[in-house]
Amino acid sequence: MSTALPERDGSPAVVTLDRREGPFGEVALRRRGGTYEIIANGCFLMDTADGRSERLLVGAALDELDRSGPVAQPSVLIGGLGVGFSLAHAAAEPRWGRIAVVEREGAIIEWHRSGPLAAFSAGALEDPRVGVLHTDLLEYLAGADGVRHHALCLDIDNGPDWTVTDGNAGLYGADGLALLLRRLEPGGVLAVWSARPSPAFEEALRAAGFTEVTTREVAVARGVPDVVHLARRAR
């Protein structure tokens, strides 16, 4: 049952549409006016208010691949389904040959299959190129299948410097970056979304063996810009 919080200062009422307890804590879907929000363990993760930086995450990765010569039907792995902007943007690009999405929260997958977030993933889950993997990204990366991708596009937690869920920080450390490097094709591109610029993460990427490390910013209404960190596995 949805619950509404009272309006304050004329702002839209906040309605909790669903709340689930899972293996990583509580995850909730809220509506604030016409905007949907995902909340993890009481902390804001993302909403449907904009989506520019989430789309940039995938678009910039393809641009970087093109810079060294177009790849025929490149494969992309999207880490984190979220509100669906990155997946919808990937599915709208016919050049992607295979699109894998790793999402560990079953509730988020359900909200896209049969709930309010389906409008934002825009039917991408039905695209025959798309496969949804219901698992933790670190567990997938450490798995034995060894599948490589031309692009890894990660939108996990709030980025390298501000994780709100236990275990996610390991993705951005030396061990996690080594796993990411192993899962890229030679010349492949890593794109990482972050809620703030992180010079320390840029240095960590270089130390892990990534090359051509750059950062692209997206201005937001208030505060520091969202960013996408880009790096490449050497050819």
Side-chain angles (χ1 to χ4, degrees), residues 8-21:
R8 293 181 295 177
D9 303 325
S11 60
V14 178
V15 181
T16 299
L17 303 174
D18 196 4
R19 180 185 285 119
R20 312 273 186 97
E21 281 292 338

Side-chain angles (χ1 to χ4, degrees), residues 33-94:
T35 300
Y36 293 90
E37 304 172 339
I38 295 177
I39 310 296
N41 295 317
C43 296
F44 173 87
L45 278 186
M46 61 189 66
D47 64 24
T48 60
D50 192 337
R52 288 175 299 150
S53 58
E54 291 92 337
R55 289 187 283 268
L56 175 65
L57 182 71
V58 174
L62 188 58
D63 289 345
E64 286 298 304
L65 285 175
D66 284 347
R67 214 164 46 81
S68 57
V71 178
Q73 294 191 310
S75 65
V76 58
L77 180 142
I78 298 172
L81 176 55
V83 296
F85 287 133
S86 295
L87 174 59
H89 193 66
E93 173 52 69

Side-chain angles (χ1 to χ4, degrees), residues 99-189:
I99 304 169
V101 185
V102 175
E103 175 55 62
R104 71 182 191 178
E105 296 290 353
I108 291 178
I109 296 172
E110 287 186 30
W111 296 335
H112 280 278
R113 290 201 185 281
S114 58
L117 297 184
F120 300 94
S121 48
L125 272 67
E126 306 306 318
D127 190 309
R129 298 171 297 163
V130 173
V132 178
L133 307 172
H134 181 195
T135 186
D136 179 75
L137 180 58
L138 274 172
E139 292 181 7
Y140 169 79
L141 294 171
D145 65 13
V147 174
R148 289 180 176 177
H149 303 270
H150 296 95
L152 302 175
C153 300
L154 309 186
D155 185 357
I156 301 296
D157 218 306
N158 285 309
D161 291 344
W162 181 26
T163 54
V164 300
T165 303
D166 291 343
N168 282 342
L171 179 64
Y172 303 112
D175 291 344
L177 293 178
L179 291 174
L180 291 167
L181 192 65
R182 190 182 73 179
R183 288 292 191 153
L184 278 173
E185 295 282 3
V189 173

